[in-house]
């Protein structure tokens, strides 16, 4: 299928590109490199042993996107591009609404112009908010508790309204849980700029010696060991979920929201110990107060992905830690040239 991928140079986009190319999809990607490096594309091409076209462009730039759509004529779009930092979204709400909502609307308008009817959208488990029950099923109430989460919920609604205008349109809203890990080659992985907000990149920077210790945000939650519990999903499983979603929307019409998670909850301390085992490195940590806005626990009900998409996560916590460590130790400075 001819697939336009927005944000293809980012963490999830780059891993998905490898899988799409391996499955022989014809790919064009657009990225403004605001949170990634063009070097990623060299590595994706080496890993997949295939080339693809890309353009440095902003999804909010209607003229640039219009030329790309008319030239490539995609049959489907996978929309990763957007801003994703929860803390920053609270400080700069208008920027987040501008980037994430306008980007999505502009894409849908361009799709209409060339009669492209299929979209896979990067949503997030953040759309659920404070759990009324766990695991979250897709019909759990949607009450995001931060601006970032609202950009995801409202994008879901915009896409659903767009799809409702024509019964031949089809949209898959993928609600990711906590993506971690790296390609098992160690060639591509997560490369956050500045101090990582998320647990896994922070742990791996402690392991490589870039940070002295991990701050564990709270050990008094009502969880198995008092630390926060999440559903961590290997990035390669997440990537294959996108290819399954593409297959699905090419054969079915309408809108579906689907969780992509493992269905298993893992605590912060369990992850620390798994990383120590996988890397052979000691991870020092200090217990700190809870982080504002953090939930005690959440994990996915992943049965809908299994029935609808015939997709199930296959990688273990050990794989997630071992692959993160391979990427981190082979690329201590991420995609920056090694000093
Ligand atoms: P990322 O920042 O690594 O990738 C996003 C990519 O989009 C980057 O390469 C960035 O340069 C590009 N980009 C941003 N704004 C753009 C614009 N206006 N025009 C063109 N390109 C633009 O993030 P990621 O972790 O790969 O996340 C991808 C998507 O998945 C995002 O929409 C994110 O909100 C969503 N998501 C991520 C997570 C996660 O934990 N990583 C969880 C749930 C949902
Ligand atoms: C966060 C975002 C969520 C986003 C997700 C992307 C918040 C409130 N939520 O989720 O919207 O979709 O990232 O993966 O920011 N932890 C530590 N020390 C650290 C970092 C994290 O103890 O240095 C703990 C947290 O308290 C939490 C767990 O590790 O219990 C996971 O945290 P994180 O990786 O940031 O993910 P989420 O908070 O689940």
């Amino acid at each position: 299928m001819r697939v336009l991928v927005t944000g293809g140079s980012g963490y999830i986009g780059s891993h998905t590109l490898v899988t799409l190319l391996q499955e022989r999809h014809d790919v064009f990607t657009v990225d403004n490199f605001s949170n990634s490096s063009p070097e990623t594309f060299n590595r994706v091409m080496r890993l997949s042993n295939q080339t693809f076209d890309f353009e440095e462009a902003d999804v909010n730039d209607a003229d640039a996107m219009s030329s790309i759509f008319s030239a490539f004529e995609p049959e489907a779009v996978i929309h990763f591009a957007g801003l994703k930092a929860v803390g920053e979204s609270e400080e700069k709400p208008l920027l987040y609404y501008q980037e994430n909502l306008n980007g999505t609307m502009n894409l849908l308008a361009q799709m209409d112009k060339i009669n492209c009817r299929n979209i896979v959208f990067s949503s997030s488990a953040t759309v659920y908010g404070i759990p009324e029950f766990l695991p979250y099923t897709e019909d759990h109430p949607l009450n995001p508790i931060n601006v970032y989460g609202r950009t995801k919920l409202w994008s879901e609604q915009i896409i659903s309204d767009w799809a409702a205008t024509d019964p031949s349109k089809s949209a898959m809203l993928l609600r990711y849980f906590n993506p971690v890990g790296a390609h098992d080659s160690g060639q591509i992985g997560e490369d956050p700029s500045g101090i990582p907000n998320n647990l896994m990149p922070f742990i791996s920077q402690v392991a490589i010696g870039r940070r002295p210790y991990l701050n564990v945000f709270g050990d008094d939650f009502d969880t198995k060991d008092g630390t926060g519990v999440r559903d961590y999903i290997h990035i390669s499983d997440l990537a294959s979920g996108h290819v399954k979603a593409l297959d699905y929307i090419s054969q079915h019409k309408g809108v579906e929201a689907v969780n992509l998670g493992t269905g298993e909850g893992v605590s912060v301390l369990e992850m620390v110990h798994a990383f120590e085992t996988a890397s052979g490195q000691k991870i020092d940590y200090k217990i700190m107060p809870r982080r504002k806005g953090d939930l005690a626990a959440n994990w996915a009900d992943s049965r809908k992905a299994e029935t609808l998409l015939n997709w199930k996560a296959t990688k273990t916590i050990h794989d997630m830690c071992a692959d993160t460590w391979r990427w981190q130790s082979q690329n201590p400075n991420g995609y920056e040239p090694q000093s």
Side-chain angles (χ1 to χ4, degrees):
M1 202 187 285
R2 272 192 318 283
V3 189
L4 179 78
V5 177
T6 74
S9 167
Y11 175 45
I12 306 173
S14 56
H15 289 80
T16 304
L17 281 181
V18 172
T19 312
L20 287 168
L21 291 164
Q22 283 167 343
E23 301 270 327
R24 303 280 162 187
H25 287 284
D26 183 6
V27 171
F28 189 101
T29 187
V30 176
D31 202 298
N32 66 359
F33 302 118
S34 58
N35 196 35
S36 59
S37 156
E39 166 62 14
T40 320
F41 289 149
N42 298 329
R43 300 199 184 186
V44 169
M45 287 183 199
R46 273 210 304 273
L47 275 177
S48 60
N49 208 15
Q50 286 182 61
T51 56
F52 56 88
D53 289 323
F54 64 90
E55 192 163 317
E56 179 170 352
D58 194 305
V59 292
N60 287 291
D61 181 340
D63 292 339
M65 294 308 291
S66 177
S67 316
I68 290 166
F69 270 82
S70 352
F72 183 61
E73 295 190 327
E75 293 158 280
V77 172
I78 306 184
H79 181 31
F80 293 109
L83 302 180
K84 64 165 184 177
V86 173
E88 186 186 51
S89 78
E90 297 282 287
E91 286 156 22
K92 300 176 183 167
L94 298 185
L95 175 70
Y96 270 66
Y97 292 128
Q98 170 75 29
E99 287 288 315
N100 291 0
L101 300 183
N102 278 2
T104 302
M105 287 193 285
N106 189 30
L107 269 183
L108 297 172
Q110 302 300 338
M111 289 171 70
D112 277 345
K113 280 200 213 159
I114 61 146
N115 215 9
C116 171
R117 301 192 196 88
N118 303 307
I119 184 164
V120 176
F121 175 65
S122 293
S123 189
S124 166
T126 310
V127 296
Y128 295 119
I130 295 164
E132 292 186 13
F133 55 83
L134 285 172
Y136 290 130
T137 55
E138 287 80 358
D139 55 10
H140 182 283
L142 303 174
N143 287 311
I145 56 170
N146 52 55
V147 170
Y148 167 71
R150 283 188 283 279
T151 71
K152 290 297 174 191
L153 174 60
W154 295 345
S155 292
E156 285 195 0
Q157 291 176 345
I158 289 168
I159 293 169
S160 303
D161 290 340
W162 167 86
T165 59
D166 177 346
S168 67
K169 285 178 173 171
S170 142
M172 179 67 67
L173 312 170
L174 294 178
R175 295 178 181 156
Y176 314 148
F177 280 69
N178 290 52
V180 296
H183 191 271
D184 62 11
S185 62
Q187 285 295 299
I188 55 172
E190 187 171 14
D191 184 20
S193 49
I195 301 172
N197 292 316
N198 297 120
L199 180 65
M200 192 65 137
F202 205 108
I203 291 180
S204 70
Q205 291 193 6
V206 173
I208 200 79
R210 272 170 73 177
R211 319 237 164 242
Y213 57 86
L214 169 74
N215 297 305
V216 173
F217 297 136
D219 68 348
D220 57 352
F221 289 107
D222 183 14
T223 59
K224 46 187 144 185
D225 59 17
T227 64
V229 165
R230 297 290 184 276
D231 185 337
Y232 297 94
I233 171 170
H234 194 291
I235 189 73
S236 299
D237 280 332
L238 198 69
S240 70
H242 288 76
V243 178
K244 292 284 192 181
L246 259 193
D247 293 345
Y248 182 87
I249 60 171
S250 64
Q251 289 160 26
H252 301 84
K253 303 299 156 203
V255 183
E256 294 284 355
V258 174
N259 290 337
L260 291 184
T262 64
E264 302 283 334
V266 171
S267 76
V268 174
L269 292 182
E270 284 175 332
M271 190 59 106
V272 167
H273 297 134
F275 205 95
E276 288 182 330
T277 305
S279 65
Q281 306 296 310
K282 174 103 181 63
I283 311 294
D284 289 325
Y285 64 84
K286 290 188 183 171
I287 305 295
M288 306 299 278
R290 293 181 184 190
R291 184 171 65 176
K292 188 170 163 273
D294 266 356
L295 303 171
N298 68 62
W299 63 94
D301 184 320
S302 52
R303 287 173 301 177
K304 184 171 176 185
E306 207 174 334
T307 20
L308 208 69
L309 305 183
N310 191 24
W311 172 92
K312 198 172 170 11
T314 57
K315 304 264 190 179
T316 64
I317 289 291
H318 180 82
D319 298 330
M320 300 178 204
C321 295
D323 291 340
T324 302
W325 178 239
R326 191 173 302 108
W327 153 252
Q328 181 73 75
S329 47
Q330 289 179 14
N331 305 271
N333 302 318
Y335 291 109
E336 290 289 305
Q338 311 303 317
S339 47

